[in-house]
Amino acid sequence: MWFWFGVAALFLLLEMATGTFYLLLVALGLVASGTAAYADLSLVWQIISGLAVSLIGLVVLHRYRQSKGHVPTQSNPNVVQDIGQSVIVDAWDENGQGSVFYRGSNWSARIDVDQPVHPGRHYIQAVQGLTLILRPGQYSASDTQH
Protein backbone atom coordinates (compact mmCIF):
# COMPACT_ATOMS: atom_id res chain seq x y z
CA MET A 1 0.00 0.00 0.00
CA TRP A 2 2.70 2.50 0.98
CA PHE A 3 4.59 1.71 -2.20
CA TRP A 4 1.66 3.00 -4.31
CA PHE A 5 1.32 6.19 -2.26
CA GLY A 6 5.07 6.81 -2.33
CA VAL A 7 5.27 6.47 -6.10
CA ALA A 8 2.17 8.72 -6.40
CA ALA A 9 3.98 11.38 -4.36
CA LEU A 10 7.00 11.05 -6.67
CA PHE A 11 4.77 11.57 -9.72
CA LEU A 12 3.17 14.61 -8.07
CA LEU A 13 6.63 16.12 -7.62
CA LEU A 14 7.46 15.38 -11.26
CA GLU A 15 4.14 16.95 -12.25
CA MET A 16 5.02 20.17 -10.47
CA ALA A 17 8.35 20.26 -12.30
CA THR A 18 6.86 19.71 -15.77
CA GLY A 19 3.47 21.42 -15.64
CA THR A 20 1.58 18.82 -17.67
CA PHE A 21 -1.60 17.14 -16.49
CA TYR A 22 -0.55 13.70 -17.67
CA LEU A 23 1.68 12.92 -14.70
CA LEU A 24 -1.12 14.09 -12.41
CA LEU A 25 -3.37 11.48 -14.01
CA VAL A 26 -0.75 8.80 -13.38
CA ALA A 27 -0.47 9.96 -9.76
CA LEU A 28 -4.24 9.72 -9.34
CA GLY A 29 -4.13 6.20 -10.76
CA LEU A 30 -1.40 5.29 -8.28
CA VAL A 31 -3.51 6.66 -5.43
CA ALA A 32 -6.39 4.47 -6.65
CA SER A 33 -4.02 1.48 -6.61
CA GLY A 34 -2.95 2.36 -3.07
CA THR A 35 -6.58 2.65 -2.01
CA ALA A 36 -7.26 -0.77 -3.51
CA ALA A 37 -4.27 -2.15 -1.58
CA TYR A 38 -5.63 -0.58 1.62
CA ALA A 39 -8.93 -2.39 0.96
CA ASP A 40 -6.94 -5.68 0.79
CA LEU A 41 -7.71 -6.28 -2.90
CA SER A 42 -5.35 -8.49 -4.88
CA LEU A 43 -2.45 -7.06 -6.88
CA VAL A 44 -4.39 -7.59 -10.11
CA TRP A 45 -7.25 -5.39 -8.85
CA GLN A 46 -4.80 -2.81 -7.58
CA ILE A 47 -3.28 -2.52 -11.05
CA ILE A 48 -6.67 -2.54 -12.79
CA SER A 49 -8.01 0.22 -10.54
CA GLY A 50 -4.95 2.39 -11.18
CA LEU A 51 -5.17 1.91 -14.94
CA ALA A 52 -8.91 2.59 -14.97
CA VAL A 53 -8.59 5.85 -13.04
CA SER A 54 -5.68 7.03 -15.21
CA LEU A 55 -7.45 6.18 -18.47
CA ILE A 56 -10.74 7.77 -17.39
CA GLY A 57 -8.81 10.91 -16.43
CA LEU A 58 -7.08 10.92 -19.82
CA VAL A 59 -10.40 10.68 -21.66
CA VAL A 60 -11.91 13.47 -19.54
CA LEU A 61 -8.86 15.71 -20.11
CA HIS A 62 -8.87 15.02 -23.86
CA ARG A 63 -12.58 15.86 -24.19
CA TYR A 64 -12.17 19.01 -22.10
CA ARG A 65 -9.33 20.25 -24.29
CA GLN A 66 -11.35 19.53 -27.44
CA SER A 67 -14.36 21.41 -26.08
CA LYS A 68 -12.20 24.48 -25.43
CA GLY A 69 -10.84 24.54 -28.99
CA HIS A 70 -7.32 23.72 -27.83
CA VAL A 71 -4.58 25.23 -30.00
CA PRO A 72 -1.23 23.42 -29.71
CA THR A 73 1.38 25.53 -27.92
CA GLN A 74 3.78 25.58 -30.87
CA SER A 75 1.16 27.34 -33.06
CA ASN A 76 -0.48 29.53 -30.40
CA PRO A 77 0.29 33.22 -31.03
CA ASN A 78 -0.50 34.00 -27.38
CA VAL A 79 2.39 31.78 -26.30
CA VAL A 80 4.97 31.93 -29.11
CA GLN A 81 5.90 35.48 -30.12
CA ASP A 82 7.14 34.38 -33.54
CA ILE A 83 3.75 33.23 -34.87
CA GLY A 84 2.64 35.53 -37.67
CA GLN A 85 6.05 37.11 -38.27
CA SER A 86 7.21 37.19 -41.87
CA VAL A 87 10.43 35.81 -43.32
CA ILE A 88 11.89 35.61 -46.81
CA VAL A 89 12.67 32.16 -48.21
CA ASP A 90 15.29 32.24 -50.98
CA ALA A 91 14.97 28.57 -51.94
CA TRP A 92 13.46 25.28 -50.81
CA ASP A 93 15.03 21.86 -51.23
CA GLU A 94 13.13 18.90 -52.71
CA ASN A 95 11.83 17.95 -49.24
CA GLY A 96 10.19 21.32 -48.56
CA GLN A 97 12.93 22.43 -46.18
CA GLY A 98 15.16 25.45 -46.23
CA SER A 99 17.02 28.02 -44.22
CA VAL A 100 15.85 31.55 -43.38
CA PHE A 101 17.45 34.51 -41.66
CA TYR A 102 15.27 35.55 -38.74
CA ARG A 103 15.99 37.52 -35.55
CA GLY A 104 19.68 37.81 -36.34
CA SER A 105 20.46 34.18 -37.11
CA ASN A 106 19.79 31.36 -39.55
CA TRP A 107 16.86 29.09 -38.75
CA SER A 108 15.77 25.79 -40.24
CA ALA A 109 12.45 26.14 -42.00
CA ARG A 110 9.89 23.70 -43.31
CA ILE A 111 6.81 24.37 -45.42
CA ASP A 112 3.51 23.56 -43.69
CA VAL A 113 1.50 20.54 -44.79
CA ASP A 114 -0.33 20.89 -48.15
CA GLN A 115 1.18 24.29 -48.92
CA PRO A 116 2.80 25.26 -52.23
CA VAL A 117 6.58 25.28 -52.22
CA HIS A 118 7.95 28.46 -53.78
CA PRO A 119 10.46 31.10 -52.71
CA GLY A 120 9.37 34.49 -51.41
CA ARG A 121 7.62 35.98 -48.39
CA HIS A 122 6.22 33.48 -45.90
CA TYR A 123 4.88 33.80 -42.38
CA ILE A 124 5.60 31.64 -39.38
CA GLN A 125 2.73 29.25 -38.71
CA ALA A 126 4.34 27.30 -35.85
CA VAL A 127 7.66 26.70 -34.14
CA GLN A 128 8.73 23.11 -33.55
CA GLY A 129 11.97 23.07 -31.61
CA LEU A 130 14.43 25.05 -33.72
CA THR A 131 12.43 24.70 -36.93
CA LEU A 132 10.03 27.34 -38.23
CA ILE A 133 6.91 25.97 -39.93
CA LEU A 134 6.04 28.39 -42.73
CA ARG A 135 3.11 29.22 -44.96
CA PRO A 136 3.20 31.47 -48.01
CA GLY A 137 1.29 34.76 -48.06
CA GLN A 138 0.02 36.93 -45.25
CA TYR A 139 -0.71 35.83 -41.69
CA SER A 140 -4.32 35.18 -40.73
CA ALA A 141 -5.22 34.34 -37.11
CA SER A 142 -7.72 31.75 -38.36
CA ASP A 143 -4.81 29.74 -39.80
CA THR A 144 -3.80 28.65 -36.29
CA GLN A 145 -7.13 26.97 -35.62
CA HIS A 146 -6.52 23.51 -37.17
Side-chain angles (χ1 to χ4, degrees):
M1 168 181 71
W2 295 114
F3 170 78
W4 294 117
F5 293 129
V7 176
L10 177 67
F11 272 86
L12 282 175
L13 290 173
L14 289 172
E15 169 62 36
M16 290 191 298
T18 62
T20 66
F21 282 104
Y22 299 106
L23 293 177
L24 179 62
L25 297 175
V26 172
L28 289 175
L30 290 166
V31 168
S33 294
T35 304
Y38 182 74
D40 287 329
L41 297 177
S42 70
L43 179 63
V44 172
W45 284 108
Q46 294 171 30
I47 293 171
I48 289 172
S49 65
L51 285 173
V53 168
S54 295
L55 290 175
I56 289 169
L58 181 64
V59 169
V60 168
L61 178 64
H62 182 70
R63 289 190 180 183
Y64 174 77
R65 292 179 103 185
Q66 280 184 332
S67 72
K68 295 295 182 187
H70 176 71
V71 176
T73 303
Q74 68 260 19
S75 61
N76 187 340
N78 295 324
V79 177
V80 181
Q81 69 180 359
D82 302 314
I83 304 299
Q85 301 298 316
S86 66
V87 295
I88 302 294
V89 178
D90 294 326
W92 294 103
D93 67 11
E94 62 277 356
N95 297 322
Q97 297 185 359
S99 178
V100 297
F101 190 76
Y102 176 65
R103 287 199 291 149
S105 63
N106 286 320
W107 288 68
S108 297
R110 183 169 48 94
I111 194 72
D112 199 9
V113 178
D114 297 327
Q115 296 297 312
V117 179
H118 57 79
R121 183 168 300 279
H122 289 68
Y123 68 90
I124 300 171
Q125 172 67 26
V127 179
Q128 292 178 348
L130 297 175
T131 303
L132 303 176
I133 309 302
L134 305 178
R135 283 192 170 192
Q138 298 294 321
Y139 176 70
S140 168
S142 65
D143 288 341
T144 61
Q145 306 293 327
H146 38 63

